[in-house]
Amino acid sequence: MTVPYLPFAKPAIDEATIAGVVEVLRNGWLTGGPKVRQFEEKLSDYFGGRPVRTFNSGTGTMEIALRIAGIGAGDEVVTTPISWVATANVILTVGATPVFVDIDLATRNIDLGLIEAAITPRTRAIMPVFLAGLPMDMDKLYAIAKRHQLRVIEDAAQAFGSSWKRNPLGSFGDLVSFSFQANKNITTGEGGCLVLNTAEEAFLAEQYRLQGVIRSGFDGMEVNVLGGKFNMSDIAAAIGIGQLAQLEALNRTRLALARHYFSVFGEHFEAQYDVRLPPANFTDSNWHMFQIVLPETIRRTDFIAAMKEREIGVGVHYPPIHLFALYRRLGFREGMFPVAERIGRQIVTLPLFSTMTEQDIDRVVDAVKSILDDKMRLK
Ligand SMILES: *Cc1c(COP(=O)(O)O)cnc(C)c1O
């Protein structure tokens, strides 16, 4: 009997969204225009009226956030080694230096207790990441930033719809960056948005995203800062408008599926198999991913291959950034961030997306248990 392949992530685009994109294609205004403005207004409403600007990727969004914060050569930015490499890459792109801090074993996010020891006179910002959409103690994070007069650029790429004390991430805080890449909880194909503090910052974001150009009147144009090409198209914005309307339903489904994972794995699974499930947070997380940490006795590549034989996709999010060749050349080595290295070696992302069924999850859990049983018998 053959079973259909189950990927670890899959977007859910409804018919209304498709109709919205078709309308843009028919109308003929494809680049950033009325749909981008409409999407930004809707996003701003969602974030409690704060200014929001969109971009063509989450990476570009973070780079522009750093530029708006005035971060560049000679500056240090404190961040986590367990993230998509873009988080640290953008710090290098603007000419600043990433300063990694180890992660917390349970949350897999930056260890807030270790941040202050990493702060130097050159530190200008903290760039936290909410892995799998799980926020950290946001009060504690902003207290540290305030105490040391640091900017906070939240890499909330995975956390659209997550919240802290019932407030959506992005509706409070400093600069908050989201991604709409295809695997995120809501997508525009590729894209991102930045929540800002003031109209001045929003104006700067507009300049940085499109060659620094400032327009006035019918023919007036000035260039004052060096900008790049980071603007979102109306095609992408139309997808985003449709996705934003689905957000609540999509995230509600993810939450229910995550709960189902816990109930099928069962209470004794962690102890019995020496596996770590994610924190069972059903209030703040948007359940962007469901990640488990395998026992050290099992090789991750063998586990992934065995899942693939069973037609189940597994992701790796993420190998530690500091051990990539580019970062080793900057002086980073094994042993510097032991928790991140352990998690980075053994973490796997199981399938979780809004069009999955509970039966799909039962299949995944059966597969995980049978593979772990096999490997443990072989020992
Ligand atoms: C997806 C992601 C990004 C980058 O977003 P893109 O839209 O792919 O450029 C950055 N950080 C994290 C944690 C992400 O998951």
Side-chain angles (χ1 to χ4, degrees):
M1 196 188 78
T2 59
V3 287
Y5 180 73
L6 186 67
F8 70 79
K10 194 166 150 185
I13 308 290
D14 65 6
E15 288 304 318
T17 305
I18 293 170
V21 174
V22 170
E23 184 199 304
V24 169
L25 294 173
R26 290 228 164 86
N27 285 346
W29 187 279
L30 303 187
T31 185
K35 287 291 171 191
V36 164
R37 282 192 291 278
Q38 195 189 336
F39 186 32
E40 288 174 346
E41 278 165 26
K42 286 178 185 291
L43 288 165
S44 177
D45 285 346
Y46 177 78
F47 294 118
R50 298 184 69 195
V52 180
R53 292 297 179 272
T54 55
F55 306 89
N56 56 7
S57 76
T59 305
T61 304
M62 295 192 293
E63 184 183 325
I64 287 177
L66 286 166
R67 292 194 194 282
I68 289 169
I71 290 161
D75 298 333
E76 292 177 357
V77 179
V78 172
T79 192
T80 169
I82 295 293
S83 181
W84 174 230
V85 66
T87 309
N89 280 355
V90 292
I91 297 170
L92 294 176
T93 301
V94 301
T97 303
V99 173
F100 295 112
V101 164
D102 209 351
I103 61 169
D104 178 275
L105 185 63
T107 66
R108 303 148 191 182
N109 284 327
I110 194 166
D111 188 335
L112 290 170
L114 299 178
I115 289 181
E116 291 195 287
I119 293 172
T120 76
R122 289 168 177 259
T123 310
R124 296 283 313 283
I126 306 171
M127 208 163 175
V129 174
F130 313 114
L131 194 70
L134 180 71
M136 57 204 60
D137 184 329
M138 301 302 284
D139 299 329
K140 210 165 167 182
L141 169 72
Y142 275 94
I144 295 168
K146 195 172 174 200
R147 195 148 55 234
H148 298 272
Q149 294 183 300
L150 303 175
R151 296 299 299 260
V152 178
I153 291 138
E154 297 179 30
D155 179 357
Q158 302 184 357
F160 206 110
S162 299
S163 60
W164 173 249
K165 295 187 172 167
R166 295 181 182 276
N167 298 310
L169 293 194
S171 68
F172 62 94
D174 192 354
L175 296 170
V176 188
S177 171
F178 294 91
S179 165
F180 300 124
Q181 187 265 346
N183 284 346
K184 306 303 201 253
N185 288 30
I186 59 168
T187 183
T188 60
E190 297 286 357
C193 77
L194 183 64
V195 188
L196 306 121
N197 298 295
T198 61
E200 288 71 30
E201 283 183 354
F203 184 47
L204 208 45
E206 289 171 10
Q207 293 168 67
Y208 283 131
R209 78 177 167 187
L210 195 54
Q211 315 296 355
V213 166
I214 302 167
R215 294 191 182 276
S216 60
F218 290 108
D219 62 351
M221 180 169 138
E222 182 57 278
V223 176
N224 190 35
V225 298
L226 177 60
K229 174 69 180 176
F230 295 101
N231 59 310
M232 179 177 274
S233 72
D234 262 21
I235 303 169
I239 305 174
I241 290 165
Q243 286 273 280
L244 192 56
Q246 286 183 268
L247 174 73
E248 229 187 278
L250 294 178
N251 280 354
R252 207 180 315 119
T253 307
R254 280 178 181 273
L255 181 84
L257 292 169
R259 276 186 192 280
H260 191 66
Y261 259 123
F262 280 97
S263 78
V264 188
F265 272 125
E267 254 182 81
H268 306 295
F269 174 72
E270 286 187 303
Q272 195 180 341
Y273 291 89
D274 190 25
V275 170
R276 284 182 160 267
L277 294 176
N281 183 318
F282 301 116
T283 50
D284 304 327
S285 178
N286 69 353
W287 287 98
H288 173 59
M289 296 190 284
F290 194 96
Q291 299 180 289
I292 66 172
V293 180
L294 300 172
E296 291 279 355
T297 48
I298 284 166
R299 278 176 47 198
R300 180 170 58 191
T301 85
D302 296 341
F303 175 84
I304 294 172
M307 289 290 276
K308 191 150 183 266
E309 275 169 25
R310 290 163 172 80
E311 299 294 328
I312 297 171
V314 170
V316 173
H317 306 95
Y318 295 93
I321 297 172
H322 68 285
L323 297 181
F324 289 132
L326 173 68
Y327 289 86
R328 285 174 184 271
R329 286 204 295 278
L330 299 174
F332 294 106
R333 292 286 175 268
E334 266 107 359
M336 285 181 160
F337 310 105
V339 182
E341 288 166 25
R342 159 139 184 248
I343 298 286
R345 198 163 46 238
Q346 295 301 88
I347 199 166
V348 289
T349 305
L350 301 180
L352 179 60
F353 53 89
S354 53
T355 53
M356 261 177 100
T357 64
E358 295 197 340
Q359 289 68 43
D360 291 329
I361 286 177
D362 298 347
R363 205 180 118 201
V364 175
V365 172
D366 280 347
V368 170
K369 286 184 174 172
S370 89
I371 292 165
L372 294 178
D373 280 336
D374 285 352
K375 306 272 181 219
M376 285 177 168
R377 248 199 312 277
L378 288 179
K379 265 200 304 169

